[in-house]
Amino acid sequence: MSDARREAAGRETMGREGLGREGLGREAPAREAAARPTVARQTTRQEANGRSWTADPYADALRTGRGPLFLRRHDGWLLPLEVERWCARADAVDLQVLGRCEGAVLDVGCGPGRLVAELAARGRPVLGIDVSRAAVAHTLRLGGQALTRSVFDPLPGEGRWDTALLLDGNLGIGGTPSALLGRLAELLRPGGLLIAETVPVDVDERAEVRLVSGAEAGRGTGAAFRWARLGTPALLRHARPLGWHAAERWTADGRSFVALRSRTADGSTGGSAEPTDSRAVISRRRPGKPRADSVGADR
């Protein structure tokens, strides 16, 4: 692993992932409960008020299935995170994305596992990875397969995955887009498919953020970590020098997506130079209940 990738891996503390639709990912820190004195006092007060909380606001949000939960930038800017939607079943926009998946799917930053569970229910080989133990446990309860891993850790099936997902802003993992895109090229087969969700405006930003609950929104007591926000033009600028080919881009219900192809075995990109640009407005519907299928991740 290169120094740049190792540095990015060290900074990667969140996971699908998922954070809010304004461009950050749902993958959240797997903070251990060794709390600072301030957090310990706060937890004691919360328990005294009849609410049981931990030092991990993301785990608390997954346990209750609701926020408020935010990413807080150093200047106080807050991004509300869509906990309720992440903990629900895959919605109509999600299903549109999943319909484009090919073969065995790796969901990077799977969060509470709605996409993994939906694909498993369809009998698709799928594996979720997330650095949050709470997220992985939630995914397993839904009947999906998941591992508590960073995308930069050794993973099953390296170089053989057909599709990788970076939804819910997980394109920001580690704060270094080139390192993340390079790693995904290693995980996918030659000519494999990456489906990434981008910010629906033209932005290319790296920043330090903290994950905070509603009560902590004004203070940001959690550990800071690096994250990135990329619109579609920025993603393409980072991806092209690494050999990625933009196969398709589309928008649906205010969300923005790009499908990228990795280089084939002969070094070509395959396909046309310009991506298809489609826009769809689709109604929301709820899929059937996921079933607990067994999926062989390491093909």
Side-chain angles (χ1 to χ4, degrees), residues 56-119:
D56 184 348
Y58 183 61
D60 291 330
L62 296 190
R63 179 170 55 83
T64 62
R66 62 180 185 274
L69 192 67
F70 305 91
L71 281 185
R72 185 181 188 277
R73 202 165 56 193
H74 63 87
D75 59 2
W77 176 85
L78 294 173
L79 175 69
L81 307 183
E82 300 180 78
V83 176
E84 291 82 359
R85 185 173 60 76
W86 307 334
C87 291
R89 292 177 180 172
D91 63 21
V93 180
D94 296 329
L95 297 181
Q96 192 181 47
V97 172
L98 298 184
R100 288 170 162 83
C101 291
E102 302 169 354
V105 180
L106 180 67
D107 186 0
V108 177
C110 65
R114 73 188 190 280
L115 304 178
V116 175
E118 178 62 32
L119 287 169

Side-chain angles (χ1 to χ4, degrees), residues 7-15 19 24-25 27 29 31 71-74 152 169-177 204-211 223-229:
E7 180 183 358
R11 291 193 302 259
E12 181 194 6
T13 53
M14 298 190 67
L19 301 184
L24 291 173
E27 192 169 17
R31 310 203 205 294
L71 281 185
R72 185 181 188 277
R73 202 165 56 193
H74 63 87
F152 296 102
N170 284 323
L171 189 56
I173 288 173
T176 306
D204 188 351
E205 176 188 27
R206 252 83 56 209
E208 281 198 350
V209 296
R210 301 171 189 268
L211 188 73
F225 55 92
R226 296 289 298 172
W227 206 255
R229 300 176 69 235

Side-chain angles (χ1 to χ4, degrees), residues 14-16 27-28 58 109-111 128-132 135-136 147-149:
M14 298 190 67
R16 226 239 147 116
E27 192 169 17
Y58 183 61
C110 65
I129 58 170
D130 203 297
V131 296
S132 166
V136 169
L147 296 174
T148 307
R149 300 276 178 87

